[in-house]
Amino acid sequence: MNAITRSCIAVAMGLALTGAHAGVTITVSCGTVGQDFEFCKRATDDWSKKTGNTVKHLTIPQSTSDILGLFRQMFAAKSSDVDVISVDVVWPSSIKAHLLDLGPYAKGAEKNHFPAIVANNTVDGQLLAMPWFTDAGVLYYRKDLLDKYGEKVPTTWDELTATARKVMDGERKAGNADMQGYVFQGKAYEGLTCNALEWVASYGGGSIVDAKGEITINNPQAAKAITTAAGWIGTIAPTGVLNYGEEDARGVFQKGNSVFMRNWPYAWSLSQGADSPVKGKVGVVNLPKGGDGKPAATLGGWQLSVVKYSKNPQVAADLVMYLTSPEVQKDRAIKGSYNPTIPALYKDADVIAANPFFGTLYDTFVNAVPRPATATGAKYNEVSSAFWNATHSVLSGNAKADEALAKLDGRLKAVRRGAKW
């Protein structure tokens, strides 16, 4: 462990073990995807032992859209039923009125995290969330199957399409009727926004809304990208992918029934588990590019915030600082392949040994494509919902891409209602 990491841990542990009142019960919402809950509970149990406080866990939905809906209901009631919440990277500006400023509690610890994420979490000069883990979409592939059929790792979507079809057909002829070529998150929810933004950006189609707030999604390259993806449905991807979230895609891939998968880094450690049928057979690389474009990965990740209506804000903030500390982030990185938000941990030998692709894809994680949450503010969820529904209509065969994007353009202008969001 290097000096920077030791220093970070010392600061964070000092914060976590001072100033907290013992005997307090804090309710926290952890994630529900993959091993999220398991790792969160283990860390909160450790904090409880260190501080003498108790942690209760709030049950939340799997879908990010449903989680946000639940939180908004609680905020409307100014509920104190939850103290600490997990916050998607696109939420801080839209729920800012309900979050506590963590600046006084962090005492500078945020400076050890990626500046871009800290900036994302800072609204109107207030640090509304501490970075917990960062994310970017990546491509998982079956190393053994590509070797078997003499194929290289695809660098373009066209190459992926052709390779997926060749290997899928070959495996089906060999007896695996369930083999698919490619699985991803195709359900009409935030996960589809992430996938579709990657397709669009990789084809040079820009974003949904640019940094200046201009609606840019209605363009030929964006239409080409989504048309390409629609061609996968029922050919290299099952029609059921139209209702897949992260765990649905992982389930198919990890059972050995798909050549390729788009997912987040968390799926790596699960694919390498002792009971995984694909253990030792999986590779992870950048997502492909569209034609002459560039690979694009949507920025994901989660933060931890204290709800403004908490009856124990100081103790809740102490828990947040512990959960986002270098010690806990390192443990989560090694055992759960969660990307740290602390640059120093990407030079940690133990972290890289557990996740070899963390080093080779470091630039991908740091330079991931953001969703237009900052530009659209409180209206981001409406913008994203309109985008994923338009995309889903094309994937489902109910609309042509150019027609869907033209309608989307009109819908987004109605959401904006004027020159500014």
Side-chain angles (χ1 to χ4, degrees), residues 89-331:
V89 70
V90 295
W91 293 354
S93 60
S94 64
I95 60 173
K96 62 183 180 181
H98 309 286
L99 305 180
L100 187 73
D101 180 9
L102 293 174
Y105 304 96
K107 299 178 182 177
E110 73 276 9
K111 294 176 183 177
N112 296 319
H113 297 256
F114 286 122
I117 301 177
V118 174
N120 176 84
N121 297 350
T122 303
V123 183
D124 300 331
Q126 296 189 326
L127 180 64
L128 300 182
M130 278 296 293
W132 194 20
F133 66 93
T134 189
D135 248 344
V138 291
L139 181 70
Y140 291 79
Y141 67 96
R142 286 283 300 277
K143 295 188 295 185
D144 58 324
L145 292 181
L146 293 196
D147 287 346
K148 178 179 177 180
Y149 289 89
E151 292 294 329
K152 61 184 179 66
V153 179
T155 59
T156 68
W157 290 115
D158 286 345
E159 288 177 359
L160 180 142
T161 303
T163 301
R165 190 58 185 261
K166 176 182 177 179
V167 178
M168 180 184 77
D169 288 348
E171 289 301 289
R172 287 183 176 183
K173 288 177 183 176
N176 184 358
D178 295 325
M179 179 60 75
Q180 304 294 336
Y182 184 46
V183 291
F184 56 94
Q185 294 74 53
K187 184 167 64 174
Y189 79 119
E190 187 67 23
L192 180 54
T193 287
C194 294
N195 279 251
L197 181 57
E198 290 164 347
W199 307 333
V200 170
S202 76
Y203 271 91
S207 185
I208 310 163
V209 175
D210 69 16
K212 296 179 181 178
E214 295 298 319
I215 299 166
T216 60
I217 189 61
N218 186 20
N219 68 77
Q221 289 305 107
K224 184 176 182 179
I226 295 174
T227 298
T228 298
W232 301 330
I233 310 301
T235 56
I236 63 169
T239 54
V241 81
L242 294 171
N243 200 37
Y244 277 16
E246 284 86 355
E247 286 293 85
D248 304 295
R250 184 179 70 82
V252 173
F253 183 80
Q254 194 165 314
K255 286 176 183 175
N257 291 329
S258 186
V259 185
F260 297 106
M261 173 181 69
R262 183 271 180 205
N263 218 317
W264 307 99
Y266 86 93
W268 166 256
S269 65
L270 291 163
S271 75
Q272 300 309 297
D275 59 346
S276 171
V278 296
K279 180 181 180 181
K281 302 176 181 178
V282 178
V284 184
V285 292
N286 278 323
L287 287 162
K289 61 182 181 178
D292 296 328
K294 296 179 180 179
T298 297
L299 175 66
W302 289 78
Q303 340 300 314
L304 290 176
S305 297
V306 174
V307 177
K308 189 175 283 187
Y309 315 114
S310 169
K311 293 179 179 178
N312 297 287
Q314 182 179 351
V315 184
D318 187 82
L319 174 58
V320 167
M321 296 311 299
Y322 177 76
L323 293 177
T324 58
S325 68
E327 179 190 55
V328 175
Q329 287 208 13
K330 178 174 178 176
D331 182 70

Side-chain angles (χ1 to χ4, degrees), residues 10-21:
V11 170
M13 291 304 296
L15 284 166
L17 297 176
T18 60
H21 304 286

Side-chain angles (χ1 to χ4, degrees), residues 134-137 296-300 363-371:
T134 189
D135 248 344
T298 297
L299 175 66
D363 288 340
T364 299
F365 299 132
V366 175
N367 300 310
V369 178
R371 286 163 277 174

